[in-house]
Amino acid sequence: MKQLALDIGLASLPTLDNFFAGPNEAVVSHLRLWTTGGTRSPVPTYLWGEGGSGKTHLLQAVHHAFKEQGAQVGWLDAHTMNPPEFNDDWVAVLMDDVHLYNSEQQHTAFNWFVNALTPRVGAPRWVLATGGLPPADLKLRDDLRTRLGWGHIHALQVLDEPERRAVLRQEADARGLFLSDEVMSYMLNRFSRDLGSLMQLLDHLDQYALQTQRALTIPLVRAMLENE
């Protein structure tokens, strides 16, 4: 099962409040600092980590926080085709999964980077980017790679099993879905253990339970997956 963002289906919107920080508390504190109080980081921030470490959730959470403030931001990811020009109204530039960018997206990212840090009007904008590798290992054009490695760099840690269980319990409770310890153990032992995949599976279970009006059991989980 592939990793998906955590705001699919009936899942809650990604926010900094519903991100289970665990060993990544310092990262969440850093993001809170620059998304509240009207101040912006004077240097870029780069988050990196393996799949399921929560990079996209955090980037979407920052986007959501700015949106609630009525602020505009630039958003770029590997699925963005024909990206717009830099907008002077943006308060920040958010770039997700930069390790997957094609040449056009790398060109746009560099252009946005330069305009954000040396804007035509106003103060410099915050650049927040995520990737699957540390900056020095990114297979990107040199001028973009060096800029991504210039400011604050945080390596996200993947949650261990007790922390994954806590996240699944928190998300299931938020949906009003009863998830027994037995079913949770089955999910963790039989399927991809990265958090994004587990959230996708939880989303399927939630919808299946709603459709069938049945409590979640291991046979029901197995039957649902066989019918996928």
Side-chain angles (χ1 to χ4, degrees), residues 26 34 38 42 59 76 83 86 100 114 117 129 137-138 145 165 169 187-188 198:
W34 302 117
L59 204 69
L76 182 67
F86 181 86
L100 301 177
V114 171
L117 296 183
D137 296 335
L138 291 170
R145 184 177 62 251
R165 286 178 177 271
R169 178 72 65 206
M187 292 169 63
L188 289 168
L198 288 170

Side-chain angles (χ1 to χ4, degrees), residues 165-185:
R165 286 178 177 271
V167 173
L168 286 172
R169 178 72 65 206
Q170 173 181 290
E171 186 65 20
D173 289 347
R175 298 162 179 258
L177 178 69
F178 175 71
L179 197 63
S180 70
D181 291 338
E182 183 182 33
V183 170
M184 191 181 301
S185 295

Side-chain angles (χ1 to χ4, degrees), residues 118-225:
T118 57
R120 292 175 296 182
V121 295
R125 276 58 159 185
W126 184 28
V127 178
L128 173 60
T130 75
L133 298 166
D137 296 335
L138 291 170
K139 307 302 181 184
L140 300 174
R141 48 189 282 180
D142 289 343
D143 50 9
L144 176 58
R145 184 177 62 251
T146 55
R147 281 167 172 78
L148 288 168
W150 168 53
H152 301 289
I153 301 173
H154 296 275
L156 289 169
Q157 305 300 313
V158 176
L159 303 182
D160 60 23
E161 181 166 322
E163 291 165 336
R164 287 190 183 96
R165 286 178 177 271
V167 173
L168 286 172
R169 178 72 65 206
Q170 173 181 290
E171 186 65 20
D173 289 347
R175 298 162 179 258
L177 178 69
F178 175 71
L179 197 63
S180 70
D181 291 338
E182 183 182 33
V183 170
M184 191 181 301
S185 295
Y186 184 80
M187 292 169 63
L188 289 168
N189 292 330
R190 297 298 184 94
F191 304 102
S192 174
R193 297 168 68 84
D194 77 80
L195 194 55
S197 295
L198 288 170
M199 287 300 174
Q200 180 192 17
L201 178 58
L202 185 63
D203 184 68
H204 290 331
L205 293 175
D206 191 9
Q207 295 187 46
Y208 195 73
L210 285 173
Q211 292 168 2
T212 62
Q213 296 296 305
R214 296 166 64 189
L216 290 180
T217 62
I218 290 177
L220 183 66
V221 174
R222 187 182 298 117
M224 182 209 76
L225 295 170

